[in-house]
Amino acid sequence: MPARSIMHMDLDTFFVSVERLLDSRLEGKPILLGGTSDRGVVASCSYEARSFGVHSGMSMKMARQLCPEGIVIRGNSSNYMKYSAMVTDIIKESFPLYEKTSIDEFYVDLSGMDRFFGCLKMASESRKRIIKETGLPISFGLSQNKTVSKVATGEAKPNNQIKVDTGLEKAFLAPLSIKKIPMVGDKTYQLLSNLGVKQIRTLQQMQPEMLEKVLGKNGLLLWKKANGVDTSPVIPYTERKSISTERTFDRDTIDVAKLKGILTAMAENLAFQLRRGNKVCACVTVKVRYSDFNTYTLQAHIPYSSADHVLIPKVLELFDRLYNKRLLVRLIGVRLSSLVTGSYQMDLFSDNEELINLYQAMDKIRNRFGDRSVMRASGIQARSIGRGNPFTGDAAPLLANRRS
Amino acid sequence: MKFIVSTSTLLHHLQTVAGVVVSKPVIPILETFLFDIKGGNLIVSASDLETSMTTSIKVEADEDVSIAVPSKLCMDILRTLPDQPITFSIETDSNSIEIHSGNGRYKLAGQPGADFPKIPEVESESSFSIKSEVLLNAIGKTVFATGNDELRLNLTGIYVELKNDNISFVATDANRLVRYARTDVAPGVETTFILPKKAANLLKSSLSDDDSTVKIDFNSSNAFFGFGDNTLVCRFIDERYPDYNAVIPKENPNTLLINRMEFLNSVKRISIVANKTTHQIRLKIAGSELTLSAEDFDASNEGLEKLSCDYTGEDIEIGFNSKFLMDMLNGMNTEMVKLELSTPNRAGVLLPQENEAGEDVLMLVMPMMLNNY
């Protein structure tokens, strides 16, 4: 196979950059963006704030202690979506094969373009165009595969670019920390650090079989990535595999009636999202995190459905089985997966015409007046659950701290 | 002791009862056939504790014996041997079975016949007879619509309703329903039971399509079917069947009359491009034109066909699972069929244009909830 050319683009401190565009007074100041309550987490922070030791995913309380002069902004996701769409439009116009992996990250396959313009030239020109037209700083890494490009982008930041020439991938990766490999999270990092592996160089020199013993199947994959080998293609459009919603409470609660009300509202909203996206699901998962940070999930398989009266009782039943600790609850969530495009197959005995007509009428109202315009009374107390349509083809607007 | 039997005869009989045997049963002996020889008759039994079948064959035997023979090994040997008389030598002391063919011998380890679970005896409270072809047809027309959901056990069988002068068979998986009634059978008793799907399928594969008689004896928990050399004993599903009559729509103002094969073939073609999981297709009827369409967004396939039909009623657009429609149309015999509809969120009823003598067929299918906005 001839060497490919794959570019990874990432908007620098995207949320902060957007806020600065909207309010120039924020330039050059440390900014903490995220939940404003003590329970909130930092979704994004400016480079000025990073020098205080703040990083995304950190709790807002801690970030404030580290960086007392930081300006805390709650942020507005619709602005970010708007700017993200602007960048996407430019990329869509310039390149035929691109993958949007999150609100501010793209992979572009430039293979073969060397014969015409030169990949690096094309890449830098499109970067300049994005900076000029949107005013947002963006960095990219260019190499022959996705992993190396992503690492290169990380190295290039802020607002710069790096090209890793074919054949030099191993040498480029060798001096870096193993943390820079996209697969390595906190757990793997700890595990490998305990084994004395800190630099990618060490990983490269290890026997793949040994890594496989330590990490299982992922060990082999990690070894390949460490050696700059990654054959995964750029996938133009990724189908949503699940939809979910979760809620962290400002104050831990043991109020089961309130929890059930929120779960009902969540399930009702997700069921509506399914119907709007013309989907049915076959797997329901409920998640509970107690105040001691222990998280439990329970899932159940059901016949394909998108009906409230199937999903809501299932969610509540799973919650009843899951919630058995008599501890304060910090977070609850609902997730629907095993999605398939299609409509709900009505049941002879448990459904009737009135019920289906009711769903269709409620969906119509919601489509016109918004997600939360009509709902079950038991879920009315739950605020801020309704969200955008998850099936429009865009990647989910994942917060920085929840990225894999 | 020894007995002689022809491979093809024995194999044929074993195949009749082999469907009862389950792989990995709760007790290992259920993986065997019970060979019971009594006065020149070989009676082969198989059982899974719920359903049991026996079949009898005339053999040349010198004494009576009872032994459990490993079913798979025995069938595999018989299947590969050419048609010839073979000799079974059975040693009850060591529980071994030796099969002698023209140029070889096979020794299998059996188990004592006394260990095989006892098959319930006929202690009937009531009984009636039905023609084999009628029962076969009734099961064939209904069994496909039974459910598979272990959580709705009552739907996993055929509901049989006996009346003094008629009999009806009902099957539903909660998404579709078939009611097949015969007015030319007079059971002479009034009762109901749920015949498990497995027993129904076994009857379907072993009943002969002729006017021989099937004798059915039953009590409150079991039924005994006797036909030819065979008997089948099954335990009923002890659950309450839902009130199916309540869900059959009574008023269906919109009626579509259409050629069955044309409709079936169109549905077949359109379903090729429908989503592989939901099998959803859309029927749109306007005037005397039926438009069938399907799209699979996940694979970006779509299809559309137009058929002329005879339709009275308001224009309608309704979604169905194409698998259900095909099963139902396949289950009909008449040239023309009637599809009665009311609204897009109510069941569609499929009927033959005219019922054959003694028959009354009704099939019903729930639509899929389409969103049109």
Side-chain angles (χ1 to χ4, degrees):
Chain A
M1 198 173 82
R4 299 179 300 162
S5 301
I6 291 175
M7 168 171 66
H8 176 255
M9 294 185 115
D10 194 328
L11 290 153
D12 303 334
T13 57
F14 176 57
F15 296 165
V16 174
S17 302
V18 172
E19 294 298 336
R20 282 180 173 166
L21 274 184
L22 299 173
D23 184 355
S24 58
R25 284 174 301 177
L26 298 174
E27 294 287 350
K29 294 197 177 123
I31 295 165
L32 305 171
L33 205 143
T36 43
S37 70
D38 282 351
R39 277 300 173 77
V41 287
V42 179
S44 180
C45 56
S46 66
Y47 281 96
E48 290 80 9
R50 282 185 202 187
S51 58
F52 288 86
V54 178
H55 58 83
S56 53
M58 179 179 272
S59 82
M60 190 54 87
K61 197 173 182 180
M62 194 168 171
R64 273 180 178 161
Q65 280 166 1
L66 286 171
C67 177
E69 60 264 58
I71 302 166
V72 180
I73 303 176
R74 190 157 165 67
N76 180 341
S77 66
S78 67
N79 285 335
Y80 309 145
M81 304 269 256
K82 202 173 82 194
Y83 278 93
S84 172
M86 278 165 66
V87 176
T88 313
D89 283 342
I90 297 174
I91 290 177
K92 201 195 264 171
E93 239 175 70
S94 323
F95 307 105
L97 184 55
Y98 72 95
E99 174 179 346
K100 187 173 181 179
T101 47
S102 75
I103 196 163
D104 62 349
E105 264 188 275
F106 304 85
Y107 286 102
V108 179
D109 193 336
L110 292 167
S111 306
M113 291 317 287
D114 255 339
R115 282 194 276 170
F116 303 100
F117 308 106
C119 295
L120 183 61
K121 190 165 170 243
M122 226 183 143
S124 356
E125 273 171 10
S126 72
R127 175 170 160 250
K128 279 182 200 135
R129 186 173 161 207
I130 291 169
I131 295 172
K132 195 177 147 219
E133 290 186 16
T134 62
L136 295 168
I138 188 165
S139 305
F140 77 77
L142 179 65
S143 78
Q144 63 158 327
N145 64 46
K146 283 168 104 171
T147 305
V148 177
S149 293
K150 180 157 174 146
V151 176
T153 310
E155 290 303 295
K157 281 188 171 192
N159 204 5
N160 211 334
Q161 59 193 57
I162 285 186
K163 177 171 194 276
V164 180
D165 288 314
T166 308
L168 298 179
E169 289 86 6
K170 260 181 99 165
F172 165 72
L173 293 173
L176 302 176
S177 156
I178 52 166
K179 247 191 187 165
K180 305 264 176 165
I181 302 179
M183 251 182 99
V184 180
D186 282 347
K187 286 249 169 73
T188 320
Y189 178 69
Q190 291 255 310
L191 187 73
L192 289 170
S193 296
N194 290 342
L195 293 172
V197 183
K198 292 230 159 77
Q199 272 190 334
I200 298 182
R201 188 192 314 278
T202 327
L203 273 185
Q204 289 173 348
Q205 287 159 353
M206 278 168 86
Q207 295 295 318
E209 292 78 18
M210 190 174 154
L211 268 177
E212 194 180 2
K213 256 187 204 155
V214 180
L215 297 168
K217 251 188 212 155
N218 284 333
L220 269 184
L221 199 65
L222 182 64
W223 184 82
K224 280 187 175 168
K225 288 193 169 182
N227 280 285
V229 177
D230 176 13
T231 51
S232 60
V234 173
I235 301 158
Y237 169 70
T238 37
E239 185 72 25
R240 282 299 290 267
K241 294 194 179 67
S242 67
I243 57 173
S244 61
T245 178
E246 57 183 44
R247 168 91 174 268
T248 310
F249 299 110
D250 294 344
R251 201 172 300 142
D252 295 347
T253 179
I254 202 161
D255 182 350
V256 176
K258 179 181 162 193
L259 290 174
K260 285 191 169 175
I262 291 169
L263 285 170
T264 305
M266 285 176 165
E268 187 180 10
N269 183 260
L270 288 175
F272 164 63
Q273 305 287 2
L274 278 184
R275 293 194 296 269
R276 179 163 61 181
N278 203 14
K279 299 269 175 188
V280 282
C281 76
C283 183
V284 182
T285 312
V286 174
K287 175 168 161 186
V288 171
R289 177 173 295 154
Y290 292 104
S291 51
D292 58 2
F293 271 88
N294 279 323
T295 311
Y296 300 87
T297 62
L298 194 62
Q299 66 178 44
H301 286 270
I302 53 166
Y304 281 101
S305 179
S306 61
D308 289 9
H309 67 279
V310 177
L311 297 172
I312 294 175
K314 198 79 211 175
V315 164
L316 294 178
E317 180 207 317
L318 287 173
F319 174 74
D320 278 335
R321 277 164 53 198
L322 191 60
Y323 180 67
N324 49 17
K325 285 235 182 235
R326 293 219 159 268
L327 273 176
L328 289 166
V329 174
R330 181 183 171 87
L331 171 151
I332 49 173
V334 178
R335 171 192 204 82
L336 305 179
S337 51
S338 299
L339 305 182
V340 169
T341 308
S343 305
Y344 172 64
Q345 166 70 55
M346 289 168 60
D347 188 291
L348 260 172
F349 303 106
S350 60
D351 302 345
N352 56 45
E353 195 190 358
E354 288 74 24
L355 197 64
I356 301 297
N357 287 344
L358 174 67
Y359 289 156
Q360 289 180 333
M362 292 203 306
D363 291 354
K364 251 181 205 156
I365 296 171
R366 286 175 183 144
N367 267 331
R368 265 189 77 179
F369 301 106
D371 280 16
R372 304 261 304 155
S373 50
V374 51
M375 71 194 88
R376 278 176 169 67
S378 57
I380 206 159
Q381 286 182 313
R383 285 161 291 117
S384 68
I385 283 177
R387 297 182 322 178
N389 186 346
F391 297 110
T392 47
D394 281 349
L398 271 190
L399 297 179
N401 56 317
R402 284 213 267 143
R403 261 180 225 154
S404 54
Chain B
M1 80 62 62
K2 283 192 173 74
F3 70 87
I4 300 169
V5 66
S6 114
T7 50
S8 59
T9 319
L10 182 59
L11 184 61
H12 174 76
H13 281 82
L14 291 186
Q15 277 166 343
T16 314
V17 300
V20 180
V21 180
V22 289
S23 58
K24 301 216 172 69
V26 251
I27 39 176
I29 201 165
L30 295 179
E31 260 177 320
T32 62
F33 293 130
L34 176 67
F35 278 30
D36 208 356
I37 296 161
K38 267 190 199 135
N41 255 335
L42 165 64
I43 298 163
V44 182
S45 314
S47 171
D48 70 353
L49 299 179
E50 299 273 321
T51 315
S52 312
M53 267 187 98
T54 62
T55 181
S56 71
I57 316 159
K58 281 243 174 302
V59 292
E60 290 171 39
D62 46 8
E63 58 184 287
D64 292 359
V65 76
S66 164
I67 190 159
V69 183
S71 60
K72 191 171 177 301
L73 286 177
C74 182
M75 298 259 297
D76 284 350
I77 291 169
L78 290 173
R79 224 174 291 175
T80 43
L81 279 174
D83 190 9
Q84 61 183 284
I86 49 170
T87 311
F88 278 74
S89 309
I90 292 161
E91 297 246 3
T92 39
D93 302 338
S94 61
N95 290 315
S96 73
I97 306 115
E98 210 169 289
I99 304 171
H100 294 271
S101 70
N103 41 11
R105 64 171 194 91
Y106 311 88
K107 197 167 178 180
L108 309 176
Q111 292 177 64
D115 291 356
F116 198 84
K118 232 174 118 44
I119 291 168
E121 297 285 323
V122 185
E123 312 161 9
S124 74
E125 286 169 3
S126 358
S127 76
F128 69 99
S129 296
I130 186 167
K131 274 185 196 159
S132 182
E133 57 187 359
V134 173
L135 184 59
L136 184 64
N137 197 12
I139 292 172
K141 282 218 154 75
T142 47
V143 73
F144 71 87
T146 51
N148 292 316
D149 190 353
E150 297 285 319
L151 295 174
R152 287 172 121 167
L153 214 53
N154 55 349
L155 302 185
T156 59
I158 300 177
Y159 182 63
V160 184
E161 248 181 336
L162 303 175
K163 293 271 167 59
N164 246 328
D165 55 354
N166 67 60
I167 180 167
S168 45
F169 300 82
V170 180
T172 177
D173 62 0
N175 296 324
R176 58 197 162 149
L177 179 145
V178 180
R179 187 186 70 195
Y180 180 83
R182 293 296 298 209
T183 47
D184 56 354
V185 178
V189 277
E190 302 231 351
T191 186
T192 62
F193 56 80
I194 307 175
L195 181 67
K197 188 177 198 157
K198 182 172 181 182
N201 275 323
L202 286 167
L203 285 169
K204 193 179 155 196
S205 58
S206 51
L207 283 173
S208 51
D209 192 10
D210 55 31
D211 59 1
S212 60
T213 308
V214 180
K215 188 159 182 292
I216 305 171
D217 297 270
F218 61 93
N219 53 32
S220 58
S221 57
N222 290 293
F224 308 84
F225 296 82
F227 49 102
D229 302 329
N230 311 314
T231 61
L232 181 144
V233 185
C234 72
R235 194 186 302 163
F236 298 137
I237 296 174
D238 188 17
E239 297 270 337
R240 209 182 66 81
Y241 208 73
D243 180 11
Y244 70 91
N245 272 315
V247 298
I248 299 176
K250 299 287 176 293
E251 280 171 38
N252 299 301
N254 307 327
T255 315
L256 171 80
L257 190 66
I258 193 163
N259 182 294
R260 182 176 68 94
M261 284 316 285
E262 273 180 27
F263 189 28
L264 176 59
N265 287 331
S266 277
V267 173
K268 263 188 202 162
R269 283 188 295 269
I270 286 296
S271 75
I272 295 170
V273 294
N275 183 287
K276 295 284 172 286
T277 317
T278 61
H279 307 287
Q280 177 184 330
I281 64 167
R282 219 173 253 260
L283 307 187
K284 195 171 171 180
I285 316 168
S288 63
E289 189 175 68
L290 166 66
T291 310
L292 297 103
S293 65
E295 64 275 293
D296 182 355
F297 290 109
D298 301 344
S300 331
N301 301 328
E302 58 173 80
L304 183 144
E305 276 202 27
K306 286 179 195 264
L307 283 178
S308 64
C309 60
D310 189 350
Y311 181 68
T312 43
E314 280 173 40
D315 293 358
I316 191 170
E317 186 167 5
I318 188 166
F320 285 119
N321 180 325
S322 59
K323 277 255 167 338
F324 295 167
L325 275 186
M326 285 192 278
D327 283 346
M328 292 178 9
L329 288 166
N330 268 322
M332 293 279 178
N333 298 333
T334 53
E335 194 196 334
M336 303 292 281
V337 289
K338 250 193 301 190
L339 181 63
E340 296 186 345
L341 304 165
S342 55
T343 68
N345 290 334
R346 287 181 86 166
V349 179
L350 189 73
L351 303 162
Q353 189 183 17
E354 262 173 41
N355 277 309
E356 282 171 38
E359 262 189 0
D360 179 16
V361 191
L362 177 141
M363 302 195 182
L364 179 155
V365 60
M366 285 305 270
M368 300 179 91
M369 180 178 145
L370 294 179
N371 47 357
N372 303 307
Y373 19 78

